[in-house]
Amino acid sequence: MRFEVVVVASVSFLLGTFGMYFIQRKYRKQELERIETLLEDVLNEREIRASASGKETLFAKIEHQLVRVQEVMQGRRDVAEREREEIQKLISEIAHQMRTPLSNIKIYLGFLQGKLTKGYVADQVFVEATNAIESSTEKLCFLVESFIKMSRLEHHVIQIKKEKTNILNTVRNALGQIQSKAESKKIQIDIFLPEKVICVHDPNWLGEAFYNLLDNAVKYSEVGDKIEVSVSRNDMFLKIQVRDYGIGIEAGEENQIFQRFYRGKRVTTQEGFGIGLYLAREIVNRHGGFLVARRKSKGLLMEINLPSNLLEVC
């Protein structure tokens, strides 16, 4: 009788132990799943709240720490955003303040150049100094206007005004603007365009984005090189491509070249500020498209992709 009691007690103990083990295992699994969900919410910047606060459990401690981590991350994001906005405002303010002195410089430069055109006899130093002032003034004016455009685009002060029109006219206008620069370097531009593509876009802003791609292609090409420009479409995108055979970029720079003020590692004597591609990408993004850079064995392929919903079937 005693033996049977011992057996029953042992079996009950074992069953209870296994039962508790499986219950605890199931409970721990649920806790881990909840922690996984919390981590996913933190990574996706979704707000989490402590549901087990006040409990003396490991899950409650982990949950509390994750809430703290999210609060710290959000605080740092807020600080970074405020600093970014302050820098943008500062750049915009400096650019606006520079407009007036630059205008004065251009006026006085005009007086000096007027003397030269009226037969004023000047030595070589005077002529070279005047030309240097003109070149520097043009660069400063370009930089100031670029800063203002960046600031206005980022703060949505400038609105993209889309209209339904033939985008090939936009492409041709930009090609006309770059022609003199290309000819000065004896660069041949091969153009491949369809007959007509009606697209909802802002001709001025998208034209500027496309011109920036052309300007880079000419700038970083050698004398006598060629550039290929094409417009094509498929079921998903309208593609505007600019292919050059210039200095190209290093591996890993495909995304870096779109950052503000970034200049490629292969850039040496070519002038520039690292603004054109940044502006181009912002403009294309505001059209609902995207801009990509593709490295080639020689040169670079820049591609504007506009969504097919902007196109009208012709």
Side-chain angles (χ1 to χ4, degrees):
M1 184 68 179
R2 181 180 297 177
F3 175 76
E4 292 177 352
V5 171
V6 171
V7 170
V8 170
S10 299
V11 170
S12 300
F13 175 76
L14 290 173
L15 288 174
T17 301
F18 280 116
M20 288 296 296
Y21 169 77
F22 284 113
I23 291 173
Q24 287 291 327
R25 184 178 178 182
K26 181 179 179 181
Y27 181 72
R28 295 303 177 196
K29 183 181 178 181
Q30 291 175 345
E31 285 188 330
L32 288 173
E33 289 175 349
R34 290 167 67 187
I35 290 172
E36 181 186 16
T37 301
L38 289 173
L39 285 170
E40 186 176 348
D41 289 340
V42 171
L43 291 174
N44 292 315
E45 299 182 8
R46 292 193 292 264
E47 184 180 1
I48 62 174
R49 295 181 180 179
S51 60
S53 57
K55 297 180 181 179
E56 294 295 329
T57 63
L58 180 61
F59 172 78
K61 292 179 180 179
I62 294 174
E63 184 184 56
H64 175 70
Q65 292 299 325
L66 286 175
V67 171
R68 290 279 308 277
V69 167
Q70 188 177 65
E71 290 173 350
V72 171
M73 290 173 60
Q74 185 60 48
R76 291 178 178 175
R77 281 195 295 268
D78 292 342
V79 170
E81 183 63 26
R82 284 197 299 270
E83 289 178 349
R84 178 174 175 272
E85 290 180 358
E86 289 173 1
I87 291 172
Q88 289 176 345
K89 290 178 181 177
L90 179 61
I91 290 174
S92 179
E93 182 64 24
I94 291 172
H96 280 288
Q97 293 297 329
M98 288 177 66
R99 270 181 163 175
T100 300
L102 279 173
S103 297
N104 292 335
I105 291 173
K106 291 172 73 174
I107 291 172
Y108 290 122
L109 179 61
F111 291 155
L112 295 175
Q113 291 173 332
K115 284 193 173 187
L116 292 176
T117 57
K118 291 178 181 179
Y120 174 78
V121 179
D123 58 21
Q124 188 64 24
V125 174
F126 180 87
V127 175
E128 291 177 356
T130 303
N131 292 336
I133 292 172
E134 181 180 19
S135 176
S136 298
T137 302
E138 289 176 355
K139 291 176 184 177
L140 282 172
C141 287
F142 171 80
L143 189 58
V144 166
E145 294 305 318
S146 297
F147 282 156
I148 292 173
K149 287 176 185 176
M150 282 195 305
S151 178
R152 289 178 176 176
L153 273 173
E154 290 170 347
H155 288 88
H156 302 282
V157 174
I158 294 177
Q159 297 296 322
I160 300 295
K161 298 179 180 179
K162 300 177 184 177
E163 57 184 81
K164 187 186 296 185
T165 184
N166 189 358
I167 198 170
L168 301 184
N169 293 335
T170 303
V171 171
R172 293 189 185 100
N173 288 337
L175 286 166
Q177 295 174 39
I178 203 66
Q179 185 175 0
S180 61
K181 286 187 178 181
E183 289 176 350
S184 67
K185 295 183 70 172
K186 297 181 174 58
I187 292 175
Q188 175 185 334
I189 301 181
D190 296 334
I191 306 170
F192 307 94
L193 304 179
E195 291 185 6
K196 186 179 182 181
V197 180
I198 302 300
C199 177
V200 179
H201 70 289
D202 187 319
N204 294 325
W205 280 107
L206 194 63
E208 178 161 345
F210 179 57
Y211 174 82
N212 288 345
L213 302 189
L214 291 173
D215 186 53
N216 267 21
V218 171
K219 184 188 301 180
Y220 299 118
S221 294
E222 300 294 334
V223 174
D225 274 354
K226 73 171 181 177
I227 295 172
E228 297 167 358
V229 175
S230 65
V231 176
S232 60
R233 56 186 296 183
N234 55 33
D235 292 338
M236 297 182 65
F237 299 106
L238 171 71
K239 297 178 178 291
I240 305 175
Q241 296 180 325
V242 178
R243 167 78 162 94
D244 69 65
Y245 295 83
I247 63 174
I249 58 175
E250 298 286 342
E253 288 189 300
E254 291 88 345
N255 291 321
Q256 289 178 306
I257 60 175
F258 296 111
Q259 297 174 6
R260 278 186 297 185
F261 312 124
Y262 182 85
R263 307 209 68 202
K265 296 176 182 177
R266 297 183 181 179
V267 175
T268 54
T269 59
Q270 297 87 351
E271 296 182 344
F273 301 101
I275 295 176
L277 290 182
Y278 172 80
L279 280 173
R281 188 182 65 171
E282 286 294 312
I283 293 167
V284 173
N285 287 349
R286 295 285 295 276
H287 279 79
F290 59 93
L291 177 60
V292 294
R294 306 185 192 279
R295 293 178 65 247
K296 298 293 181 180
S297 57
K298 181 175 175 59
L300 188 67
L301 172 65
M302 302 297 299
E303 184 178 273
I304 296 174
N305 290 270
L306 298 176
S308 58
N309 61 5
L310 298 179
L311 305 179
E312 181 179 280
V313 178
C314 301

